[in-house]
Amino acid sequence: MRSRTVRGRGPFSGTGLIITGLAATLAALVFPVWSYSDRAGTGLATLNAQTVSTQFGPLSALDREFVTKVRLAGLWELPAGQQAEQKGTTEAVRVAGEHLVDGHTYLDARVRDVAARLGLALPNQPTAQQRGWLTTLDTAQGETYDRDFANLLRQAHGRVFTLVAQVRATTRNSLVRDLADDANTTVLDHIKVLEATGFVDFDALAQDAATSTPAPLTSPPDPPGPTADPGTPVPVTPTPVASPPATASGPTP
């Protein structure tokens, strides 16, 4: 009797090839999960690597960035507010300046206390970009000043507002959480009074928000350590507003 060859039962048969292909596909899908979930560089690993323990709860790099930016905001927005009280040509602009002075005087005292309790170093002068904004305001006059003041400050507060919300939603540190509450109240108040000036360009704000992306946090502020009190912000001296030339009195010859 002639032997019969049985086909379709070896490892390379049609069914075998289908099963092998499915297994390879599944392995390819699962492999990235196995190989990357615990590797350094993931979000959770980065968070853990940049977080330090304090008696008030874990302090993340984002928490430290937030504390630093609250201080930086006061270093230029407080003197900008004082300047607006003097140079603003409308009552609404002068009122907005007054709110900035009151709000950042309070917030600066709060952030210095929080930084001292956490052992964080704070900057003593505005960033180069912030100094440039102060220079713009220092040279502007009249309605141009009012418009520059309202838009520069409104744009800055809008960006900080986003950071405050993120920190408030994610921080595990009680001091940072309380500071975020105070910052949220203050920043929202400033946004409202700046918009009440009538000079805010909302189209420009929307375009800026749509085209700008936040800078990655590549160099977080130093973790807690021995620090010195940075002192209160030193206000700038507003540029004197030129008085109109005096008109000669008396009868016309």
Side-chain angles (χ1 to χ4, degrees):
M1 179 182 294
R2 298 176 60 183
S3 62
R4 295 167 55 186
T5 301
V6 179
R7 298 180 180 179
R9 298 182 182 274
F12 299 104
S13 65
T15 303
L17 286 174
I18 292 174
I19 295 175
T20 301
L22 290 175
T25 301
L26 180 61
L29 292 173
V30 174
F31 176 76
V33 177
W34 291 343
S35 59
Y36 289 101
S37 60
D38 295 323
R39 293 178 68 175
T42 61
L44 184 59
T46 301
L47 173 66
N48 292 333
Q50 297 180 341
T51 298
V52 295
S53 298
T54 76
Q55 61 177 311
F56 307 101
L59 185 70
S60 69
L62 182 63
D63 294 336
R64 301 196 296 275
E65 181 190 31
F66 167 67
V67 172
T68 299
K69 286 191 173 180
V70 171
R71 169 67 175 182
L72 284 170
L75 287 175
W76 86 276
E77 292 174 14
L78 191 155
Q82 291 180 318
Q83 189 179 67
E85 289 180 296
Q86 302 296 321
K87 292 182 64 175
T89 66
T90 70
E91 180 64 18
V93 171
R94 293 190 290 270
V95 167
E98 180 181 356
H99 277 242
L100 261 65
V101 172
D102 292 343
H104 284 291
T105 297
Y106 170 72
L107 271 187
D108 192 73
R110 286 281 290 113
V111 75
R112 289 168 59 204
D113 175 68
V114 168
R117 297 171 73 181
L118 293 174
L120 295 176
L122 292 176
N124 284 318
Q125 63 177 350
T127 65
Q129 184 182 47
Q130 291 168 338
R131 292 195 297 272
W133 292 335
L134 287 173
T135 298
T136 297
L137 296 176
D138 191 50
T139 57
Q141 300 294 333
E143 185 175 319
T144 299
Y145 172 83
D146 295 336
R147 197 171 300 280
D148 287 346
F149 168 79
N151 284 282
L152 283 173
L153 273 297
R154 174 58 179 81
Q155 183 184 65
H157 279 80
R159 292 178 177 178
V160 171
F161 200 47
T162 302
L163 176 62
V164 173
Q166 182 182 5
V167 170
R168 182 61 182 82
T170 61
T171 185
R172 294 173 287 170
N173 188 280
S174 61
L175 290 184
V176 173
R177 190 176 303 116
D178 290 343
L179 180 63
D181 284 339
D182 292 336
N184 180 74
T185 301
T186 302
V187 172
L188 182 57
D189 171 70
H190 292 175
I191 286 176
K192 290 181 176 180
V193 294
L194 287 165
E195 292 174 351
T197 63
F199 290 109
V200 172
D201 186 341
F202 291 98
D203 288 337
L205 288 175
Q207 292 175 11
D208 176 74
T211 57
S212 63
T213 55
L217 185 60
T218 54
S219 301
D222 293 334
T227 59
D229 188 336
T232 56
V234 178
V236 297
T237 302
T239 301
V241 180
S243 301
T247 303
S249 59
T252 303

